[in-house]
Amino acid sequence: MYNDYFGFRDFPFSISPDPHFLFMSDGHRDALAHLLYGIENDGGIVLLTGEVGTGKTTLCRCLLEQLPEDSRVAYIINPPQTPTDLLLVLCREFDLHPQGQDSSTLLHALNVFLLACHGARQKVVLVIDEAQNLSVEILEQLRLLTNLETNQRKLLQVLLLGQLELHRQLSLPALRQLGQRVTARFVLSPLSKAELALYVSHRLSVVGGRPEIFPASLIGPLWKFSSGIPRIINLICDRALLGAYAEGKAAVTGSVLRNAAKEIFSAQELPRRRGVSLLLAASVFVLLLFLGWQFFPAAALNEVRFTRSQNDAPLDMKGIPLERAFSQAQGAQHLLLSKWTSRKPQGELSFCDELKQWGLHCFESSGNLGTLERYNRPAVVRLLGAGDAPRYALLDALDGDLLRLQGQGASLSLSRSDFERHWDGSFLLLWRKPPLYSATLAPGAYSPLVPWLDAALNEVLGLEWVDATPADFYSSALAERVRQFQLHSGLRADGMIGRRTLVALNTLLYPDSPQISRAP
């Protein structure tokens, strides 16, 4: 609604955990360093805690994007209820099909899988969000899973994300052995007032906005209203931008910001915000997520629509229920592959491994619909409805407020808001990886990828460029051209050559590749 008015490429204050918008405060930078240390050193269990809305999930998504491309990751959003449920979910996430569903059979299948990944030098990571809700029995099962190891290393890395009470749980006598397996831990704190000013400016710059839209004089009140919690900052800023748009203002004013905060919180609470604890602020926010759809228009709180509840009824998409989507990712993956080739997977390798022999590679990430529009590629998406089991579908058409999903012999046409209520933000798409790309490339490095990158940029930007530096040196001049491309493509303009930048280049280099078509 207000994006065109302010000249934004996307919503700057979405609450979806999109690493594209990640702001690296000192706390986030330290947290990421701790997490990377724990993951890279095969330490077993890594712990990240913090108040609701401080950015734990977004930071985790950023961490996962820095893992080797062939890493196997299981991301559990809704904590399972029993130890057997945990094993079943792991088998499903890793696309394993054991003959039985008893604990010993499931453990054996996981052990065989982990040993095979170890032999192939693949890192296996298990991420559990909202880990403070795990029972003592499930936490003990996690400890047993970390016993799967060779003489040199653990076979499974575990990353637990949770609220501060998770620390108290791990200090229980019954869990002291598990607590001793935690090799890296970090508590993520809210933003300081100075960091909040940089945070707002950063998110505006990512979507091409001007920092003057939020004047410096509003940073103090915004920090007071939000207590520095990024998710609450996003909600207030989103509502303030809508208010400024409705009043025809070129920037947010003090009265607009205060009215926005009043709509997020109760009017009686605002004068006391400075003395309210972070825990109370987070609790109010969670209550708003539950009630927001009844009391606030979708346009006023457009990012709340990304939240889901386990009690949500299955989505009814023009008479076609959510159950018509696939219960396993494999069905949607095969539909995605059919967009690229008539070849059929043989099932001897994992889906992504088998595609490599045909010159195709999987790109798994997370974001919002704006992210998928920028990549402009059909993608497998994961949907959450009633119950814990996710469903999978292929998103292959998008136009304005309508999109189309492909399910089990059915085309599902629905609105963006219905889709976003049930989509967890994760997606998988296919691309053609440059043959010489192996890891993220930073300016100043030497790599055989550089000549390919130079030629690719010449082609997509229509430039003729002569660089006097060695052919395989990633020079500052080339990095500047990369930043220009990233800015033009709606990416973070950091000059780093990773999969996001290469996928965006890939789309322009191969216009005959499958693209998201216009929804009917």
Side-chain angles (χ1 to χ4, degrees):
M1 178 176 290
Y2 56 69
N3 281 353
D4 291 340
Y5 180 78
F6 289 111
F8 298 153
R9 291 187 295 266
D10 199 354
F11 289 105
F13 295 102
S14 165
I15 63 170
S16 60
D18 186 352
H20 179 61
F21 284 94
L22 179 62
F23 169 72
M24 295 297 286
S25 70
D26 290 342
H28 286 77
R29 191 173 293 108
D30 290 345
L32 184 60
H34 278 75
L35 297 179
L36 282 171
Y37 172 82
I39 292 292
E40 291 176 354
N41 288 276
D42 302 321
I45 298 177
V46 180
L47 188 64
L48 177 63
T49 57
E51 293 287 355
V52 174
T54 48
K56 300 183 294 295
T57 301
T58 305
L59 192 65
C60 175
R61 297 278 173 89
C62 179
L63 168 72
L64 296 180
E65 289 195 349
Q66 300 189 42
L67 295 177
E69 186 177 349
D70 60 352
S71 299
R72 305 298 300 272
V73 179
Y75 200 122
I76 299 178
I77 300 173
N78 297 317
Q81 301 301 309
T82 68
T84 302
D85 288 342
L86 172 64
L87 299 177
L88 283 169
V89 170
L90 283 177
C91 287
R92 184 175 65 219
E93 289 289 317
F94 291 128
D95 200 23
L96 305 180
H97 305 282
Q99 297 301 312
Q101 295 193 351
D102 57 286
S103 295
S104 60
T105 301
L106 298 172
L107 276 172
H108 175 72
L110 285 169
N111 194 34
V112 170
F113 165 75
L114 292 171
L115 287 170
C117 290
H118 173 68
R121 298 185 178 276
Q122 291 179 312
K123 188 178 291 292
V124 184
V125 181
L126 165 62
V127 182
I128 301 182
D129 211 341
E130 303 296 340
Q132 76 280 353
N133 296 325
L134 295 174
S135 65
V136 172
E137 292 76 14
I138 293 180
L139 289 170
E140 176 61 16
Q141 180 67 73
L142 282 176
R143 183 187 70 82
L144 296 176
L145 286 173
T146 62
N147 286 339
L148 302 175
E149 57 189 357
T150 66
N151 291 333
Q152 293 80 31
R153 58 186 287 244
K154 299 285 186 184
L155 297 180
L156 178 67
Q157 297 289 123
V158 179
L159 173 56
L160 300 180
L161 310 180
Q163 297 172 29
L164 297 177
E165 51 263 40
L166 182 57
H167 284 286
R168 293 192 290 272
Q169 285 177 269
L170 296 183
S171 66
L172 295 173
L175 295 173
R176 63 184 183 278
Q177 288 181 299
L178 178 65
Q180 293 169 1
R181 304 284 179 93
V182 177
T183 57
R185 63 181 74 205
F186 196 88
V187 178
L188 200 56
S189 301
L191 301 177
S192 67
K193 189 183 298 185
E195 289 173 334
L196 188 149
L198 296 173
Y199 175 85
V200 171
S201 177
H202 166 74
R203 293 192 72 108
L204 288 172
S205 68
V206 169
V207 299
R210 298 174 293 104
E212 310 86 65
I213 294 175
F214 272 90
S217 60
L218 300 184
I219 297 303
L222 178 58
W223 184 78
K224 181 179 71 172
F225 296 149
S226 66
S227 299
I229 297 176
R231 193 178 295 168
I232 300 179
I233 295 169
N234 290 352
L235 283 173
I236 295 175
C237 288
D238 175 69
R239 188 62 186 88
L241 287 171
L242 185 65
Y245 161 73
E247 295 183 16
K249 298 182 182 297
V252 176
T253 63
S255 61
V256 168
L257 181 69
R258 186 171 180 85
N259 288 336
K262 284 180 179 179
E263 294 189 20
I264 301 301
F265 301 101
S266 67
Q268 293 77 15
E269 186 186 2
L270 282 176
R272 306 194 305 271
R273 289 291 301 149
R274 186 179 297 274
V276 178
S277 69
L278 294 179
L279 181 60
L280 180 57
S283 300
V284 172
F285 170 72
V286 172
L287 179 61
L288 282 168
L289 289 182
F290 179 74
L291 298 176
W293 282 100
Q294 281 80 39
F295 293 97
F296 292 95
L301 282 175
N302 58 21
E303 303 306 335
V304 176
R305 64 191 182 193
F306 282 89
T307 62
R308 295 163 300 279
S309 166
Q310 290 187 8
N311 297 322
D312 280 342
L315 198 59
D316 189 348
M317 307 172 187
K318 294 189 177 179
I320 304 175
L322 186 61
E323 282 70 15
R324 295 300 296 274
F326 294 99
S327 59
Q328 300 289 331
Q330 186 180 49
Q333 289 169 352
H334 287 182
L335 278 181
L336 173 61
L337 181 60
S338 69
K339 299 284 185 179
W340 289 80
T341 178
S342 59
R343 294 170 174 172
K344 304 292 184 184
Q346 300 303 309
E348 297 176 359
L349 302 171
S350 70
F351 176 75
C352 293
D353 286 338
E354 192 161 0
L355 298 191
K356 293 176 183 178
Q357 61 187 330
W358 303 330
L360 295 173
H361 292 264
C362 292
F363 175 61
E364 296 184 73
S365 188
S366 62
N368 53 30
L369 277 173
T371 308
L372 291 180
E373 286 178 303
R374 287 193 295 271
Y375 288 133
N376 195 24
R377 293 291 178 86
V380 173
V381 294
R382 183 162 63 176
L383 307 168
L384 302 178
D388 294 331
R391 313 289 294 187
Y392 300 87
L394 176 68
L395 191 157
D396 69 343
L398 176 62
D399 186 15
D401 189 51
L402 292 177
L403 58 85
R404 182 179 67 205
L405 301 179
Q406 299 290 346
Q408 301 183 65
S411 232
L412 317 179
S413 297
L414 64 157
S415 68
R416 295 173 72 111
S417 59
D418 279 341
F419 171 72
E420 288 168 337
R421 282 196 300 119
H422 288 263
W423 180 36
D424 70 354
S426 64
F427 61 84
L428 179 147
L429 54 81
L430 301 183
W431 67 303
R432 294 188 179 101
K433 186 181 76 171
L436 299 175
Y437 171 72
S438 59
T440 300
L441 182 64
Y446 286 86
S447 169
L449 178 68
V450 171
W452 177 92
L453 176 64
D454 184 59
L457 286 172
N458 286 345
E459 182 173 342
V460 301
L461 297 177
L463 299 175
E464 292 184 5
W465 187 268
V466 177
D467 195 342
T469 53
D472 59 351
F473 178 67
Y474 186 14
S475 67
S476 58
L478 182 56
E480 181 57 34
R481 294 164 63 210
V482 169
R483 293 188 187 96
Q484 291 176 12
F485 170 76
Q486 290 171 329
L487 190 62
H488 176 76
S489 303
L491 301 172
R492 184 184 304 166
D494 56 8
M496 303 292 287
I497 304 300
R499 284 179 292 176
R500 286 174 175 262
T501 299
L502 290 174
V503 170
L505 263 175
N506 202 258
T507 300
L508 298 177
L509 287 172
Y510 303 102
D512 59 332
S513 298
Q515 298 182 0
I516 295 178
S517 63
R518 292 293 143 198

